[in-house]
Amino acid sequence: MNKKYNYKNIIKEAMILTLAVGIIAAAVYFFLVPSHTSVSSISGLGIILSNFIPLPLSAITMILNVVLLIIGFLTCGKEFGVKTVYTSIMLPIFLAFFEILFPNFVSFTNSQELDVLCYILVVSVGLSILFNRNASSGGLDIVAKIMNKYLHMELGKAMSLSGMCVALSAALVYDKKTVVLSILGTYFNGIVLDHFIFDHNIKRRVCIITPKEKELREFIIHELHSGATVYEAYGAYNMEKRNEIITIVDKAEYQKLMKFINTLDPKAFITVYNVSDMRYQPKI
């Protein structure tokens, strides 16, 4: 019974990953390729290399992904996992499928700027699905992990740096306008991707000091059904002891909490921090 359940989960996960990779491949083939830009992806680098290597984009992307996977396994071990291997191989397969089905495709929009904009919006949907399933599309993600391990660079900065290098490579082939569009596209792609991924998971850490501690604590536990932690705090001016209540809530819960506090104690002292990664919140 457990095996059947596991097989169902594996099939479901594979279908979701395949859908996400299909969206990314469609964004590359129908928008990135016609724009001739190289926006922060291994496919963008493939577009540049296709001007020098007499191979279709799907073949170049496959070669680049396989080479990077091999380098990744040799340098970083098994950090990438089955999902990254699967998505890295499926992306060029989808591109090959589109090349056969839609040969000599030009552009939906007939505008280089609109193609870049559409690519950013569509690819961010596919990438956000992958990242929220704890997967990646391979390519530059592998480069970023290698830079993180050996250059001790933060993953976000490593991704931005590698993406900008790919964007600047457009200068080898295309005019100044295309290079600028590649750089701007890479920058805005990061912003949109952050919105899709991190705004979806964002939570707020709210720290509250109020004399009406009991009422607030009961509201958090019984109305918001959230956890809270109470710390003893002392005012530096008069060393008066107060209790500080700390809770982590999502956007909807945050609005309810602020509305309740404004009614309960408008003079309550509140500090708020955005939290993008939360492992465990004990309900004490």
Side-chain angles (χ1 to χ4, degrees):
M1 191 73 178
N2 287 334
K3 286 186 177 180
K4 288 184 179 179
Y5 180 73
N6 289 334
Y7 286 140
K8 285 183 180 179
N9 282 347
I10 291 170
I11 292 170
K12 179 183 177 183
E13 189 74 8
M15 289 175 66
I16 293 172
L17 294 179
T18 303
L19 172 65
V21 175
I23 293 171
I24 294 169
V28 170
Y29 189 76
F30 295 113
F31 298 111
L32 187 64
V33 174
S35 73
H36 300 295
T37 56
S38 52
V39 178
S40 186
S41 68
I42 207 68
S43 301
L45 180 58
I47 292 171
I48 301 300
L49 292 177
S50 65
N51 289 274
F52 303 101
I53 302 171
L55 289 173
L57 176 62
S58 57
I60 295 173
T61 305
M62 176 68 85
I63 293 168
L64 290 173
N65 274 335
V66 170
V67 170
L68 285 173
L69 280 171
I70 293 171
I71 294 172
F73 276 116
L74 292 175
T75 55
C76 299
K78 298 180 180 179
E79 292 181 19
F80 306 107
V82 176
K83 290 182 180 179
T84 302
V85 175
Y86 177 74
T87 54
S88 296
I89 293 172
M90 284 302 298
L91 179 59
I93 289 175
F94 268 110
L95 288 173
F97 174 75
F98 290 136
E99 286 170 350
I100 295 169
L101 206 60
F102 304 98
N104 303 317
F105 181 81
V106 182
S107 173
F108 276 127
T109 65
N110 294 318
S111 167
Q112 192 178 26
E113 294 84 355
L114 286 178
D115 279 335
V116 172
L117 179 61
C118 290
Y119 167 76
I120 291 171
L121 294 175
V122 176
V123 82
S124 295
V125 174
L127 288 173
S128 65
I129 294 172
L130 287 183
F131 287 140
N132 284 311
R133 305 302 296 190
N134 195 28
S136 73
S137 59
L140 294 186
D141 300 346
I142 299 173
V143 175
K145 286 184 179 180
I146 294 171
M147 293 171 69
N148 171 254
K149 181 172 181 178
Y150 291 98
L151 301 179
H152 306 291
M153 188 180 294
E154 293 179 9
L155 276 173
K157 290 181 179 179
M159 280 292 293
S160 299
L161 180 59
S162 57
M164 280 299 175
C165 289
V166 171
L168 289 170
S169 68
L172 298 172
V173 179
Y174 301 116
D175 57 17
K176 293 178 182 179
K177 178 184 175 182
T178 303
V179 176
V180 171
L181 275 176
S182 297
I183 295 170
L184 289 176
T186 298
Y187 176 73
F188 285 112
N189 184 53
I191 293 175
V192 174
L193 195 56
D194 282 345
H195 172 77
F196 272 101
I197 296 172
F198 295 114
D199 280 10
H200 176 73
N201 297 322
I202 201 76
K203 290 183 181 292
R204 288 177 171 84
R205 183 177 186 265
V206 187
C207 308
I208 311 143
I209 297 177
T210 174
K212 299 183 179 180
E213 172 199 336
K214 182 180 177 182
E215 295 94 323
L216 177 60
R217 191 174 68 249
E218 289 179 350
F219 176 80
I220 293 171
I221 294 169
H222 300 297
E223 296 296 326
L224 296 183
H225 304 290
S226 184
T229 306
V230 181
Y231 293 96
E232 283 190 358
Y234 291 86
Y237 182 73
N238 54 17
M239 293 304 292
E240 182 180 352
K241 186 176 79 171
R242 295 280 182 87
N243 283 337
E244 181 183 32
I245 300 176
I246 298 177
T247 185
I248 296 177
V249 291
D250 60 25
K251 287 184 179 180
E253 293 167 342
Y254 174 75
Q255 292 175 351
K256 292 178 183 178
L257 180 61
M258 289 298 100
K259 184 177 180 181
F260 177 79
I261 293 174
N262 288 333
T263 303
L264 177 71
D265 181 12
K267 295 182 179 180
F269 179 77
I270 305 168
T271 55
V272 183
Y273 307 88
N274 285 337
V275 178
S276 60
D277 186 16
M278 183 183 68
R279 302 296 179 185
Y280 175 63
Q281 181 190 8
K283 293 185 177 182
I284 302 174

